[in-house]
Structures are given as C-alpha cells and as structure tokens.
Amino acid sequence: MLIASRGLSRRAALTGAASVVATAATLPCQLQAREPLRAADTLGSLGAAKGLLVGASFAMHETEKPYGARYRELYLREMRSLTTELELKMPTVRPSRDIIEFAPADQSFDFASKHGLPVRGHTLVWNDNVPQWIKSLSTLDAGYHMDAHIETVLERFRGRAYAWDVVNEPIAPWDRLPGNLRAGPYLAAYGEDYIARSFRLARHFDPAAKLVLNEAFTETADDLGQAFRASFLNLVRRLKDRGAPIDAIGLQCHLKSGKPYDFPRFCAFVEQLAVLDFDIHITELDVDDSAYPRDLTARDLRVAALYRDFLTAVLPIPAVKVLTFWQLADHTSWLYYSDVEKRPSAERRPRPLPFDQNFIRKPAWSAIADALRAMPPR
Ligand code: G3I
C-alpha cells in the first residue's frame, strides 16, 4: 500500500485514509480540487517531517459529548502532542482548600499515554486563574499553597509531561506594577521571585521535563503588544541573569481579526528570545474571527490568510520547536464557548480553527499545511 511504503504507523495510515475519504466526500466541490488528498498529510505528520512538534489543547470533557469519539479520532489522526486545557489548572485540581481533584488530569494523561502522545502540562502557577479560597488567604499562606501546589502536581505526574507551563502570563501592564508584572497572590507573597521560585521547585520535582514560561499578547503591532514585548523580554533577561531554570519560552499567539500585525517585527522579538538560548514554543494558536465578514466562505479565507501569514513568518525561525493550537475544531474553542455565554441566541458563531463543527478541514487547514510544507527542516 502506498501509505505503508511511506513508513506510517498502521493507525496513522488507516485513520489518515479514512479522513481523506471523509474530507473529499463532504467538502464543497470547489474546494475538493484544492484539498491535499495524500492520506499521510496531517498537520502532525507534516510538522514531524520538519522536526516540529505539532499539538493542540485537549479537554477531557469534550470526549463525553455526543461527538466525543470523533473528537478523539481527530486528535489521534492530526496531532502529535496534547496540552491539558483545564485538567491541571488550580481551580480544577484544588477547587477548595481541603480537596485535591486529580481524576480529570489522570484521565488526560492516561488517554495520552495510551496513544503515545506527549503531554504539555498547563499550567502550574497563574496569578489570574486563582481559586477563590486562595484569594482569601494571607500572603504568607498563599505563598505556601503555591509551593505546595507545584509539589503536589509534580509528585503525581513527574515524568509524564514532556513540558510544563510552569508560570503563565506573568505580565499585565493594566495592573501598573513595576516591570508591568501581573498582580496576584503569588506576586504579593514573594514579589517577582515567585517566578524563579516556581521554576526552581519545578526543576526539583520534575528534573527531566522542559520548563516553560508562557505569555500572551506579545503579537500585535500596537502599544499593548509593544508593552508586552518590552516588559516580557526584560523579565526574561532578569530571570536568565538570576539562573532561573527555564528551558523554553511559550508564546500563546491568540491572533485576532481587526488587530494590527507586523510579523517581521514580531519575529525580531522572537529572535531576541532565541538568542538568549531558549527554545520557542507557540503554545495557543488560534484566530478570533469576530471582526471578519459575516459570509462564511469569505471569513474562512481571511482566517486562513492570517494563519498563513503568521506561520510563514515564524516557522523559519530555528528556535521554534513546538506549534500548538488552542483546540482544533471551532465548536470546542474557548472563543465559541464564551460567545455562546455572551450571545446565547446568536446564529453566527466563531470559526477560529482548522476544523469546522463536523470536524471537516477548512481553508485554514490547507494554509497551515502549506506553511508546514514550506518551512525549512529543524
Ligand atoms: O465545564 C463547565 C460547565 O459545566 C459550566 O456549565 C460552565 C459554567 O460557566 O463552566 C464550564 O467550565 C469552563 C471551562 O472553561 C470549560 O468551558 C470554566 O468556567 C471556564 O473558566 C474555563 O475557561 C478556560 C479558561 O482558560 C480559564 O481556565 C478556557 O476553557 C480555556 O480555553 C482558557 O485557556 C486560556 C489559557 O489557559 C491561558 N491563555 C489564554 C487561554 C484563553 O483564555
């Protein structure tokens, strides 16, 4: 079989062939001619062919929905790693002071290891997504529970994640604090040292994992993006000077229609991080299409173009080793859920991702695939 001769695993070959048939049979005819019909072509396999690890955030609760089997199959076919979207966050693991809830995270890790998929553990310390009971503690107690949380999670999952988003989103200019650091109980407890402290603890409790500092909002060519890039780069330089055990920088890359972008300028920022000897992980890529035209075809093509422009600029940077999407299918996106909450009766829903609500490839998939094919190998 042609597929087998390309050295594909039997699973990938079979599901790859099935997906091509499904795609060809259900795509509008004007797109069928464009859709790459090579069964081996998935975003994960195209990335792997260039030495890039391609993954997406994965949410266990989606596997219990009526479409759960198709959701799982999509990830097994298209992805080569999973990021825990909710299961390792403090509100899930520690909903109250006297509860430790590991079941969702156990299920995520068990699913990933059953299918041989590496896991990005997201996230250990985040001053924004803090359970209410932590907020009510003294700063001393909040600091104690930050340390205890890192130890508790890593004691249980040591060696099971290839990378940890140890600290998420340390910058928040709107809090108007020195260094534009994000306010929160852990900053109050330890000052800026909460970041290096978290990485030292993570290194101690999971010495083999890649430790990642993960940031948002660094992409746009406006005052906010510039403030984030400058503040984050200064922070990273201070952390490096102090010997914080950071292996990689995570750039979330939640792109947004209607925002200004200057990707060569963004890539210069990425290169400034790379020369500090950090790997770069694109950790949460998606496109908020809310400012694009109402017409579905036009909107999908605009989303595809933004994916193409961004990835064509960023993927040639050798330090970029990981590309992770924030979900894969439109209706499982955080943008979709928040839109349903805000506009329950609206007809038009976000279409931010490479797959639609029927798990069928969209023009964005082809744009991403083309950028992966065009990138230089690692
Ligand atoms: O599952 C419950 C549902 O049963 C309940 O009815 C509903 C009530 O609102 O809540 C649902 O849980 C929500 C969960 O998403 C699943 O949809 C939580 O309230 C909500 O807080 C949670 O939001 C997540 C958010 O992080 C906060 O953890 C988003 O899914 C997730 O995509 C988002 O991801 C963040 C990254 O961690 C960091 N970077 C930004 C990114 C997007 O905000």
Side-chain angles (χ1 to χ4, degrees):
M1 271 171 79
L2 169 65
I3 297 166
S5 68
R6 299 182 67 164
L8 272 176
S9 71
R10 179 170 168 69
R11 168 174 66 82
L14 290 177
T15 50
S19 71
V20 167
V21 170
T23 305
T26 44
L27 267 178
C29 57
Q30 70 272 21
L31 286 179
Q32 279 183 19
R34 287 184 49 244
E35 185 66 16
L37 294 181
R38 293 193 303 271
D41 282 355
T42 67
L43 299 182
S45 65
L46 288 166
K50 298 295 179 70
L52 184 78
L53 181 62
V54 177
S57 70
F58 185 80
M60 280 311 294
H61 70 86
E62 297 292 0
T63 66
E64 292 140 28
K65 303 273 179 73
Y67 51 71
R70 296 165 71 205
Y71 178 82
R72 286 192 297 273
E73 194 277 327
L74 176 71
Y75 278 76
L76 297 182
R77 184 183 80 232
E78 290 280 345
M79 292 292 106
R80 296 296 176 94
S81 86
L82 304 178
T83 297
T84 55
E85 180 155 346
L86 302 163
E87 299 76 9
L88 280 168
K89 286 176 172 169
M90 201 168 191
T92 303
V93 177
R94 299 299 312 276
S96 68
R97 187 169 189 153
D98 51 7
I99 293 177
I100 298 182
E101 174 55 86
F102 277 134
D106 287 338
Q107 290 165 17
S108 297
F109 277 106
D110 291 348
F111 175 80
S113 51
K114 178 182 173 188
H115 298 286
L117 288 171
V119 174
R120 296 192 82 264
H122 173 86
T123 178
L124 294 172
V125 176
W126 184 10
N127 265 307
D128 184 29
N129 188 235
V130 177
Q132 197 50 47
W133 67 273
I134 290 273
K135 292 176 182 170
S136 63
L137 297 175
S138 68
T139 49
L140 190 66
D141 280 354
Y144 165 80
H145 281 285
M146 182 194 90
D147 298 354
H149 182 65
I150 295 168
E151 177 177 359
T152 306
V153 172
L154 296 185
E155 281 289 5
R156 187 166 183 100
F157 298 113
R158 182 186 298 113
R160 299 193 68 184
Y162 83 91
W164 288 99
D165 288 338
V166 174
V167 172
N168 191 50
E169 302 178 16
I171 300 294
W174 49 79
D175 286 340
R176 302 194 179 288
L177 293 175
N180 275 333
L181 292 178
R182 180 185 293 275
Y186 312 129
L187 180 74
Y190 296 119
E192 181 177 301
D193 189 52
Y194 88 91
I195 302 171
R197 183 185 184 95
S198 299
F199 278 89
R200 288 194 297 269
L201 285 167
R203 182 67 91 217
H204 174 76
F205 288 111
D206 195 349
K210 291 277 187 193
L211 305 182
V212 185
L213 178 64
N214 194 42
E215 187 54 272
F217 296 110
T218 63
E219 305 85 16
T220 51
D222 55 15
D223 292 347
L224 184 69
Q226 181 51 36
F228 265 89
R229 286 188 295 276
S231 307
F232 186 63
L233 185 57
N234 289 336
L235 170 65
V236 169
R237 285 175 171 146
R238 292 196 298 274
L239 289 165
K240 179 144 180 99
D241 289 346
R242 292 170 53 195
I246 302 171
D247 301 306
I249 299 296
L251 301 175
Q252 294 183 10
C253 303
H254 291 291
L255 306 181
K256 192 169 171 63
S257 55
K259 290 288 183 186
Y261 289 103
D262 174 346
F263 290 136
R265 181 174 163 193
F266 173 69
C267 288
F269 160 72
V270 176
E271 295 280 11
Q272 287 177 296
L273 292 165
V275 297
L276 296 171
D277 201 23
F278 293 113
D279 284 347
I280 305 296
H281 293 189
I282 306 298
T283 52
E284 305 183 16
L285 183 59
D286 56 17
V287 173
D288 178 336
D289 65 330
S290 50
Y292 284 153
R294 290 187 61 79
D295 172 73
L296 277 194
T297 305
R299 194 178 348 152
D300 284 354
L301 291 174
R302 294 290 295 276
V303 168
L306 189 51
Y307 274 118
R308 183 200 57 228
D309 294 348
F310 172 74
L311 290 172
T312 304
V314 167
L315 290 181
I317 299 174
V320 174
K321 298 289 195 301
V322 171
L323 170 61
T324 306
F325 297 93
W326 209 241
Q327 288 291 323
L328 278 178
D330 294 333
H331 59 308
T332 64
S333 166
W334 67 291
L335 294 166
Y336 190 99
Y337 281 115
S338 51
D339 187 61
V340 169
E341 237 177 274
K342 276 182 265 175
R343 309 183 312 141
S345 54
E347 280 161 27
R348 166 182 165 179
R349 293 292 178 208
R351 293 172 65 85
L353 290 165
F355 294 85
D356 69 16
Q357 298 193 41
N358 298 308
F359 301 104
I360 298 298
R361 292 170 175 175
K362 294 160 58 187
W365 187 95
S366 302
I368 296 161
D370 288 346
L372 290 169
R373 285 196 196 94
M375 68 176 281
R378 284 295 172 261

